[in-house]
Amino acid sequence: RDRDVTGVQTCALPILLGWDVAGVVRAVGGEVNLFRPGERVYYAGSMGRPGGNAELHLVDERIAGHMPQSLDFAAAAALPLTTITAWELLFDRMGVVRGKPATGEAILIIGASGGVGSILVQLARKLTGLTVIGTASRPESRKWVTDLGAHLVIDHSQPLQPQLTAGGIHQVDHVISLTHTDSYYAQIVELLKPQWEALGFGPTAMVTSLSGATSGAGKPTTAPPLEPGGPISVSLGRGDMSLAAIGTVTWVQGDHFI
């Protein structure tokens, strides 16, 4: 209760936890025109108004949506924040084109069996022409990612390159790393094609929209300066092969961009 956590929004006690919600509209304000009482809705909520775990919750209609008819409340409540994050990563941050026919491009999702990763696999498979490669280590997780639509599933506890090669893929065009990015950094550089793009989550920050070009693979020689909103310049090289990348740093809290 008394801890001072830097960068985390504080709320007056008592705190009602929860953001992701699926429920039924009980009543609406006088200026609400998107929903009516009795309709089923779901939403990720607002960082400034927690309380989604309470029996009743007040929410701005502009951040709510009609709950999919094919889902029950538990499944719908699991979607908002993970789905928004996955959508922003794939289409807004990385700029992958929706509806694009297959072109031979491939995306590697490190941590594909988690909340955001599992949504990313489905979005990439259903809405893009990318070859989707996901990582998972446990047999049940590997089956889960395969069932979600990944073309290839590899084990992130083992070296990645040999597994990709065995699957007929030597390099990839896009990488989204959702966990322990620092430990996969060198491997990611090795796997990326020229004119690559990568998004990676670090322990407390996300390096977003890195892009660059290289005539060959390299290993990291400098670490990015992870400062909120600051520029990033990364130099990667091996011998006479070098790679330069620029981008920006955006702090994240959990899976939500802030």
Side-chain angles (χ1 to χ4, degrees):
R1 289 164 60 98
D2 297 326
R3 292 178 182 173
D4 179 15
V5 182
T6 302
V8 177
Q9 181 175 346
T10 58
C11 300
L13 296 175
I15 299 174
L16 295 176
L17 303 177
W19 279 278
D20 282 15
V21 170
V24 177
V25 177
R26 178 73 62 86
V28 299
E31 297 185 8
V32 170
N33 54 35
L34 299 179
F35 304 98
R36 298 190 302 269
E39 291 184 321
R40 305 196 310 168
V41 297
Y42 72 148
Y43 53 87
S46 163
M47 295 298 290
R49 189 189 291 275
N53 294 351
E55 183 178 357
L56 297 175
H57 193 216
L58 190 64
V59 65
D60 189 322
E61 69 168 348
R62 293 171 295 180
I63 62 172
H66 288 97
M67 195 177 115
Q69 294 298 317
S70 59
L71 300 179
D72 60 23
F73 287 106
L79 281 178
L81 201 55
T82 54
T83 305
I84 289 171
T85 303
W87 185 280
E88 288 184 351
L89 282 171
L90 188 63
F91 299 120
D92 297 341
R93 304 278 178 160
M94 188 161 276
V96 173
V97 178
R98 281 177 280 163
K100 186 177 181 180
T103 60
E105 292 187 3
I107 183 170
L108 172 64
I109 302 168
I110 299 176
S113 63
V116 175
S118 61
I119 299 294
L120 271 168
V121 169
Q122 296 173 78
L123 292 177
R125 181 60 191 266
K126 292 292 186 180
L127 300 181
T128 79
L130 297 173
T131 297
V132 182
I133 307 154
T135 77
S137 56
R138 297 180 298 131
E140 54 267 44
S141 298
R142 294 171 64 87
K143 182 180 184 304
W144 163 247
V145 176
T146 300
D147 291 346
L148 292 176
H151 295 91
L152 175 66
V153 181
I154 61 178
D155 186 347
H156 50 236
S157 69
Q158 303 297 324
L160 303 179
Q161 182 69 77
Q163 298 178 78
L164 281 177
T165 301
I169 299 172
H170 300 287
Q171 288 184 301
V172 298
D173 305 87
H174 314 277
V175 175
I176 296 180
S177 179
L178 299 169
T179 180
H180 297 92
T181 299
D182 54 342
S183 64
Y184 297 112
Y185 201 69
Q187 293 190 75
I188 289 172
V189 174
E190 296 283 350
L191 296 173
L192 283 165
K193 290 180 181 179
Q195 300 298 331
W196 55 271
E197 188 163 27
L199 299 178
F201 281 86
T204 56
M206 185 190 76
V207 180
T208 181
S209 299
L210 285 176
S211 61
T214 178
S215 57
K219 294 183 180 297
T221 56
T222 61
L226 299 179
E227 297 179 357
I232 176 174
S233 178
V234 184
S235 175
L236 308 171
R238 185 180 63 190
D240 59 351
M241 295 179 291
S242 63
L243 177 153
I246 58 173
T248 58
V249 176
T250 303
W251 288 107
V252 298
Q253 182 174 343
D255 292 327
H256 182 71
F257 297 108
I258 59 174

